Amino acid sequence: MLRLLIWARDFAFLLVATMTVLFFLVRLAGDPAIMLAGPDATPAQLDAVRQAYGFDRSLIEQYLIFASHMVRLDFGTSLADGMPALDKVLDTYPASLFLAVMAMALNLAVSIPVGAWLGQERGGAGRRLARGFISVMQGFPGFVLALLLVNLFAVGLEWLPSVGYAGPASWVLPVVSVASFLAPKLIRVVEANTAAAYRSHYVRTAVAIGTGPRTILWRHVMPNALLGATAVVGAEFAFMVTGLVVIETIFAWPGIGWLLVRSTLNLDFPVVQAIVFIIVIAVFLTNLATEAVQMRLDPRLRGPGAAGGANG
């Protein structure tokens, strides 16, 4: 119960602080009245627009109105099309979440077996070649790889579409681009944890009593290796659920990253604020789930006496 109260307190502080800073920052970007009325609008027309949208009031007064509406989950309407800002964000968020889940699934499917394979031995030409390739990929910007994949498979070979969200064929390049950016770090962590587990006393004891290699790997080594990788997986997923701005822009993926770019350029304050609100919630819930999984896998994290109770 105490832990839940701490989580609730932290979330409330994070949300209020983030939304407050954002409110004042976005208003430094420019005057939305000019975007609404057009660059050729007269001063009288601009004043009329500001009055209609409440931009003529002081920033403090605007903030208090914004805060009172945010409590009711009312972020106003989009300045671009008049659609409720929160509804507009929620309509695009499933696309971002889908991309995050698919990329993470591919990331895990590749990183865990490759990391386990590399962590079992240090030598071998194949392992040295794989480590060299991973090192190169780890320093490779994700957007550069995305552009290379587009040029090769969409423009050159014409095997896959380069934009859209229409079906499985259009998912391949964005998912591979994101997973390729995330995989090297997770592979390194799984490799290091696997190697450390093989050097541990309990594995040496299992080898000494004649336990088979497969049993040692999957029953003794991998559970401990994956426990250490949980935090990395959680951090990577939290990064993705915030919206992959560059990847979504390159592939015209209709997620919140793509919407954030458009809304920022159009000075669509209500939508930008609704996007950040959803992002804060998504990141907090992801971190909460990661912590819960870690405590489930390692009873020592639950507090004094938890590990003993679990062992008993």
Side-chain angles (χ1 to χ4, degrees), residues 194-223:
T194 301
Y198 271 108
R199 295 192 298 268
S200 63
H201 294 297
Y202 60 85
V203 169
R204 291 176 182 174
T205 301
V207 173
I209 62 176
T211 306
R214 288 183 177 274
T215 302
I216 291 175
L217 175 63
W218 296 110
R219 182 174 297 178
H220 300 290
V221 173
M222 290 311 297

Side-chain angles (χ1 to χ4, degrees), residues 259-272:
L259 180 62
L260 179 61
V261 171
R262 292 180 58 193
S263 301
T264 302
L265 293 175
N266 293 330
L267 300 180
D268 197 346
F269 297 164
V271 175
V272 173

